[in-house]
Amino acid sequence: MGRRVLVNTALMTAAGLLMRCIAMGFQGWLAARIGAAGIGLYGLVMSVELLASTVAVSGIRFAVTRLVSEELGLGRGRGVSAAMSRAALYALFFGALSMLALTYFAEGVGFLWIGDARTVKPLRILAWGLPCIALSSVLSGYFTAAARTWKPSLVHLIEQCAAVMLVARALSAVPEGDIELACAAVCAGVTGADILSCALMLAFYAGDRRRHGSGEGESVRLTARLLETALPLAVSAYARSALSTLEHLLVPRGLKKSGLGADAALAGYGTIHGMAMPAIGFPSCLLAALAENVIPELTTRQVRGEREAIRREVRSLLALSAAFALASAAALYALAPLIADGLFASPESARYIRLLCPLVPFMYLDTVVDGCLKGLGRQVWSMAVNILDAALGVILVYTLLPIGALGAYVGIIYFNELMNLALSAAGLRRALRA
């Protein structure tokens, strides 16, 4: 791996560890404050927000990273500013469209999709942050390509601290037991932090954009190249996100059909997705940082025709990732009771953390493989695999949850993750042989 990748990975990992420590502590406090049912309701709201933010971003983050990496790799600094202007207009269009759609359809989504009227107000609050999320994605993609990932890392750290403070302040005015107002208060804090994050990213970019100079050569087809990368990713992301959102919405319904009450179904969903899954994902920030930083590195090598260097770098990444993932799985299994009692005050979550620990190496490796695929321009294959994963998840949740309840859901998570990794790895092998 190049020195640039290692330095940026170290910076992002340090920031990621700090942010995840804050997030885990905050998640534990939030679980104690609003309960497992409240966490479950908030998780359903955020699954819809994920779909809305996918429309807002519409593939632009990776498109910016690849386009700017190509321009810098070929020494065309003048094309960077032109690419960023086009990307900003793209992001603002889709961000505004997503905001208006979520605001207008919030009532229908809350009543008909989620089946819980308490989600309408939180959804409308979250809609205001969508244009900011879209524009922040453009700026984050730029900083990744320009190898200055410390800037978005610092902004995300400030954003997270601001979110914690804003949520805590908003929740202090909410009566105990009012799940709707509690969820709305959390969403208000998150939206405020999104707006602050966008403002800080713009300030950093304003001071950074002159660093590239004009370079040599004329950039061609910038708009076409941007759209050729972003739009296929957008369409694929829409499909995957819609299917993923549908899967999450079907989980409480399926659990209720299995015989659980409404609040018990929300609590079960909240325990797995609001406690166990964040816990097993906690150490993955190192590999997430590697996957993020390897994209521009591989893209630059690809446009220069350095095929053997690409193969060496990918092999090194996968070996490092496998060793780290196995160590993480062992540590999580041993520490599961401590994590469950100390963070979530939920002995039940320890059971699910241990049930999911054997899946950790496959989840972590999949993150790195996806980053390699994107860096080599095989993002469409990666998205196709993810769409298949989400589609099968919907079918399995709909058919198996009423029969097997939470045990079946854990089995579905295993099946989807293993299948995703197998197909992604097959795509990476083909990319390396090309």
Side-chain angles (χ1 to χ4, degrees), residues 156-375:
H156 292 320
L157 179 59
I158 295 171
E159 173 192 352
Q160 191 164 33
C161 292
V164 170
M165 291 187 289
L166 291 170
V167 169
R169 178 70 179 271
L171 277 176
S172 66
V174 175
E176 291 282 345
D178 192 329
I179 294 179
E180 179 182 9
L181 283 181
C183 190
V186 175
C187 292
V190 169
T191 300
D194 287 336
I195 295 170
L196 173 64
S197 175
C198 183
L200 291 174
M201 290 277 250
L202 283 169
F204 272 130
Y205 176 69
D208 194 272
R209 62 183 179 178
R210 296 184 181 87
R211 295 180 58 135
H212 305 298
S214 60
E216 296 180 359
E218 189 68 27
S219 298
V220 295
R221 299 180 64 250
L222 282 176
T223 302
R225 286 159 58 202
L226 180 73
L227 296 178
E228 286 168 0
T229 303
L231 289 180
L233 280 176
V235 173
S236 300
Y238 298 161
R240 187 198 179 192
S241 187
L243 290 166
S244 178
T245 298
L246 179 58
E247 178 186 339
H248 282 276
L249 298 182
L250 286 173
V251 171
R253 292 173 184 259
L255 294 176
K256 284 189 281 187
K257 288 180 180 178
S258 73
L260 296 178
D263 282 350
L266 278 177
Y269 172 78
T271 300
I272 292 178
H273 274 281
M275 301 179 195
M277 292 298 286
I280 68 169
F282 176 77
S284 67
C285 56
L286 170 63
L287 300 186
L290 273 174
E292 180 81 11
N293 285 294
V294 79
I295 294 173
E297 181 81 4
L298 292 179
T299 298
T300 300
R301 291 188 185 279
Q302 188 180 47
V303 298
R304 292 174 179 171
E306 300 172 2
R307 294 183 180 180
E308 189 54 41
I310 289 172
R311 294 187 185 99
R312 286 198 305 269
E313 184 151 353
V314 169
R315 283 195 293 267
S316 174
L317 277 170
L318 294 179
L320 173 64
S321 302
F324 177 79
L326 288 169
S328 298
L332 286 164
Y333 190 89
L335 297 173
L338 182 62
I339 295 169
D341 292 336
L343 277 177
F344 305 120
S346 170
E348 182 70 5
S349 64
R351 174 171 170 260
Y352 289 107
I353 291 171
R354 282 186 162 169
L355 278 174
L356 293 167
C357 273
L359 193 59
V360 165
F362 304 99
M363 293 173 63
Y364 288 16
L365 277 174
D366 189 48
T367 299
V368 176
V369 170
D370 278 355
C372 293
L373 284 170
K374 290 176 180 176

Side-chain angles (χ1 to χ4, degrees), residues 49 52-62 64 84 87-99 127-141 194-195 197-198 201-202:
E49 195 269 350
S53 62
T54 299
V55 176
V57 173
S58 287
I60 193 58
R61 187 176 186 279
F62 171 70
V64 169
M84 289 296 291
L89 290 173
Y90 179 101
L92 289 173
F93 171 78
F94 282 101
L97 179 67
S98 182
M99 178 186 72
W128 289 96
L130 293 171
C132 295
I133 291 173
L135 192 54
S136 293
S137 295
V138 172
L139 299 168
S140 184
D194 287 336
I195 295 170
S197 175
C198 183
M201 290 277 250
L202 283 169

Side-chain angles (χ1 to χ4, degrees), residues 42-85:
Y42 175 62
L44 292 176
V45 168
M46 293 308 292
S47 71
V48 175
E49 195 269 350
L50 175 63
L51 175 58
S53 62
T54 299
V55 176
V57 173
S58 287
I60 193 58
R61 187 176 186 279
F62 171 70
V64 169
T65 297
R66 184 160 182 90
L67 190 58
V68 172
S69 295
E70 288 173 349
E71 293 300 302
L72 293 177
L74 295 171
R76 298 195 298 232
R78 184 184 303 170
V80 173
S81 295
M84 289 296 291
S85 298

